[in-house]
mmCIF file with all atom_site columns, all heavy atoms in Angstrom:
data_model
loop_
_atom_site.group_PDB
_atom_site.id
_atom_site.type_symbol
_atom_site.label_atom_id
_atom_site.label_alt_id
_atom_site.label_comp_id
_atom_site.label_asym_id
_atom_site.label_entity_id
_atom_site.label_seq_id
_atom_site.pdbx_PDB_ins_code
_atom_site.Cartn_x
_atom_site.Cartn_y
_atom_site.Cartn_z
_atom_site.occupancy
_atom_site.B_iso_or_equiv
_atom_site.pdbx_formal_charge
_atom_site.auth_seq_id
_atom_site.auth_comp_id
_atom_site.auth_asym_id
_atom_site.auth_atom_id
_atom_site.pdbx_PDB_model_num
ATOM 1  N N   . LEU B 1 323 ? -33.062 -3.005  -2.229 1.00 0.00 ? 579 LEU B N   1
ATOM 2  C CA  . LEU B 1 323 ? -31.843 -3.816  -2.214 1.00 0.00 ? 579 LEU B CA  1
ATOM 3  C C   . LEU B 1 323 ? -31.384 -4.052  -0.772 1.00 0.00 ? 579 LEU B C   1
ATOM 4  O O   . LEU B 1 323 ? -30.837 -5.103  -0.444 1.00 0.00 ? 579 LEU B O   1
ATOM 5  C CB  . LEU B 1 323 ? -30.747 -3.108  -3.024 1.00 0.00 ? 579 LEU B CB  1
ATOM 6  C CG  . LEU B 1 323 ? -29.441 -3.878  -3.167 1.00 0.00 ? 579 LEU B CG  1
ATOM 7  C CD1 . LEU B 1 323 ? -29.655 -5.230  -3.828 1.00 0.00 ? 579 LEU B CD1 1
ATOM 8  C CD2 . LEU B 1 323 ? -28.422 -3.070  -3.958 1.00 0.00 ? 579 LEU B CD2 1
ATOM 9  N N   . GLU B 1 324 ? -31.649 -3.068  0.080  1.00 0.00 ? 580 GLU B N   1
ATOM 10 C CA  . GLU B 1 324 ? -31.253 -3.219  1.479  1.00 0.00 ? 580 GLU B CA  1
ATOM 11 C C   . GLU B 1 324 ? -31.983 -4.400  2.127  1.00 0.00 ? 580 GLU B C   1
ATOM 12 O O   . GLU B 1 324 ? -31.396 -5.142  2.919  1.00 0.00 ? 580 GLU B O   1
ATOM 13 C CB  . GLU B 1 324 ? -31.556 -1.927  2.241  1.00 0.00 ? 580 GLU B CB  1
ATOM 14 C CG  . GLU B 1 324 ? -30.979 -1.940  3.633  1.00 0.00 ? 580 GLU B CG  1
ATOM 15 C CD  . GLU B 1 324 ? -31.050 -0.568  4.288  1.00 0.00 ? 580 GLU B CD  1
ATOM 16 O OE1 . GLU B 1 324 ? -31.320 0.416   3.572  1.00 0.00 ? 580 GLU B OE1 1
ATOM 17 O OE2 . GLU B 1 324 ? -30.845 -0.511  5.497  1.00 0.00 ? 580 GLU B OE2 1
ATOM 18 N N   . ASP B 1 325 ? -33.280 -4.567  1.778  1.00 0.00 ? 581 ASP B N   1
ATOM 19 C CA  . ASP B 1 325 ? -34.031 -5.714  2.308  1.00 0.00 ? 581 ASP B CA  1
ATOM 20 C C   . ASP B 1 325 ? -33.393 -7.018  1.837  1.00 0.00 ? 581 ASP B C   1
ATOM 21 O O   . ASP B 1 325 ? -33.218 -7.964  2.603  1.00 0.00 ? 581 ASP B O   1
ATOM 22 C CB  . ASP B 1 325 ? -35.483 -5.686  1.807  1.00 0.00 ? 581 ASP B CB  1
ATOM 23 C CG  . ASP B 1 325 ? -36.210 -4.413  2.210  1.00 0.00 ? 581 ASP B CG  1
ATOM 24 O OD1 . ASP B 1 325 ? -36.093 -4.036  3.377  1.00 0.00 ? 581 ASP B OD1 1
ATOM 25 O OD2 . ASP B 1 325 ? -36.869 -3.819  1.338  1.00 0.00 ? 581 ASP B OD2 1
ATOM 26 N N   . ILE B 1 326 ? -33.077 -7.025  0.535  1.00 0.00 ? 582 ILE B N   1
ATOM 27 C CA  . ILE B 1 326 ? -32.486 -8.242  -0.052 1.00 0.00 ? 582 ILE B CA  1
ATOM 28 C C   . ILE B 1 326 ? -31.170 -8.557  0.655  1.00 0.00 ? 582 ILE B C   1
ATOM 29 O O   . ILE B 1 326 ? -30.905 -9.691  1.054  1.00 0.00 ? 582 ILE B O   1
ATOM 30 C CB  . ILE B 1 326 ? -32.224 -8.020  -1.563 1.00 0.00 ? 582 ILE B CB  1
ATOM 31 C CG1 . ILE B 1 326 ? -33.535 -7.719  -2.288 1.00 0.00 ? 582 ILE B CG1 1
ATOM 32 C CG2 . ILE B 1 326 ? -31.537 -9.223  -2.164 1.00 0.00 ? 582 ILE B CG2 1
ATOM 33 C CD1 . ILE B 1 326 ? -33.342 -7.199  -3.708 1.00 0.00 ? 582 ILE B CD1 1
ATOM 34 N N   . TYR B 1 327 ? -30.389 -7.509  0.808  1.00 0.00 ? 583 TYR B N   1
ATOM 35 C CA  . TYR B 1 327 ? -29.074 -7.653  1.425  1.00 0.00 ? 583 TYR B CA  1
ATOM 36 C C   . TYR B 1 327 ? -29.213 -8.214  2.838  1.00 0.00 ? 583 TYR B C   1
ATOM 37 O O   . TYR B 1 327 ? -28.549 -9.175  3.213  1.00 0.00 ? 583 TYR B O   1
ATOM 38 C CB  . TYR B 1 327 ? -28.399 -6.276  1.428  1.00 0.00 ? 583 TYR B CB  1
ATOM 39 C CG  . TYR B 1 327 ? -27.150 -6.172  2.251  1.00 0.00 ? 583 TYR B CG  1
ATOM 40 C CD1 . TYR B 1 327 ? -25.930 -6.616  1.750  1.00 0.00 ? 583 TYR B CD1 1
ATOM 41 C CD2 . TYR B 1 327 ? -27.178 -5.629  3.523  1.00 0.00 ? 583 TYR B CD2 1
ATOM 42 C CE1 . TYR B 1 327 ? -24.782 -6.515  2.507  1.00 0.00 ? 583 TYR B CE1 1
ATOM 43 C CE2 . TYR B 1 327 ? -26.035 -5.525  4.289  1.00 0.00 ? 583 TYR B CE2 1
ATOM 44 C CZ  . TYR B 1 327 ? -24.832 -5.971  3.773  1.00 0.00 ? 583 TYR B CZ  1
ATOM 45 O OH  . TYR B 1 327 ? -23.706 -5.868  4.522  1.00 0.00 ? 583 TYR B OH  1
ATOM 46 N N   . LEU B 1 328 ? -30.102 -7.609  3.605  1.00 0.00 ? 584 LEU B N   1
ATOM 47 C CA  . LEU B 1 328 ? -30.263 -8.064  4.994  1.00 0.00 ? 584 LEU B CA  1
ATOM 48 C C   . LEU B 1 328 ? -30.780 -9.495  5.040  1.00 0.00 ? 584 LEU B C   1
ATOM 49 O O   . LEU B 1 328 ? -30.331 -10.302 5.849  1.00 0.00 ? 584 LEU B O   1
ATOM 50 C CB  . LEU B 1 328 ? -31.201 -7.127  5.758  1.00 0.00 ? 584 LEU B CB  1
ATOM 51 C CG  . LEU B 1 328 ? -30.589 -5.751  6.067  1.00 0.00 ? 584 LEU B CG  1
ATOM 52 C CD1 . LEU B 1 328 ? -31.633 -4.833  6.667  1.00 0.00 ? 584 LEU B CD1 1
ATOM 53 C CD2 . LEU B 1 328 ? -29.386 -5.870  6.992  1.00 0.00 ? 584 LEU B CD2 1
ATOM 54 N N   . ASP B 1 329 ? -31.715 -9.817  4.151  1.00 0.00 ? 585 ASP B N   1
ATOM 55 C CA  . ASP B 1 329 ? -32.224 -11.196 4.103  1.00 0.00 ? 585 ASP B CA  1
ATOM 56 C C   . ASP B 1 329 ? -31.082 -12.168 3.842  1.00 0.00 ? 585 ASP B C   1
ATOM 57 O O   . ASP B 1 329 ? -30.956 -13.189 4.508  1.00 0.00 ? 585 ASP B O   1
ATOM 58 C CB  . ASP B 1 329 ? -33.254 -11.342 2.973  1.00 0.00 ? 585 ASP B CB  1
ATOM 59 C CG  . ASP B 1 329 ? -34.593 -10.700 3.339  1.00 0.00 ? 585 ASP B CG  1
ATOM 60 O OD1 . ASP B 1 329 ? -34.701 -10.207 4.474  1.00 0.00 ? 585 ASP B OD1 1
ATOM 61 O OD2 . ASP B 1 329 ? -35.487 -10.692 2.484  1.00 0.00 ? 585 ASP B OD2 1
ATOM 62 N N   . LEU B 1 330 ? -30.244 -11.818 2.855  1.00 0.00 ? 586 LEU B N   1
ATOM 63 C CA  . LEU B 1 330 ? -29.166 -12.732 2.456  1.00 0.00 ? 586 LEU B CA  1
ATOM 64 C C   . LEU B 1 330 ? -28.104 -12.860 3.540  1.00 0.00 ? 586 LEU B C   1
ATOM 65 O O   . LEU B 1 330 ? -27.639 -13.948 3.847  1.00 0.00 ? 586 LEU B O   1
ATOM 66 C CB  . LEU B 1 330 ? -28.519 -12.245 1.156  1.00 0.00 ? 586 LEU B CB  1
ATOM 67 C CG  . LEU B 1 330 ? -29.370 -12.392 -0.098 1.00 0.00 ? 586 LEU B CG  1
ATOM 68 C CD1 . LEU B 1 330 ? -28.763 -11.629 -1.254 1.00 0.00 ? 586 LEU B CD1 1
ATOM 69 C CD2 . LEU B 1 330 ? -29.531 -13.857 -0.454 1.00 0.00 ? 586 LEU B CD2 1
#
Side-chain angles (χ1 to χ4, degrees):
Chain B
L579 184 58
E580 189 169 347
D581 301 314
I582 300 168
Y583 169 81
L584 288 173
D585 285 357
L586 289 168

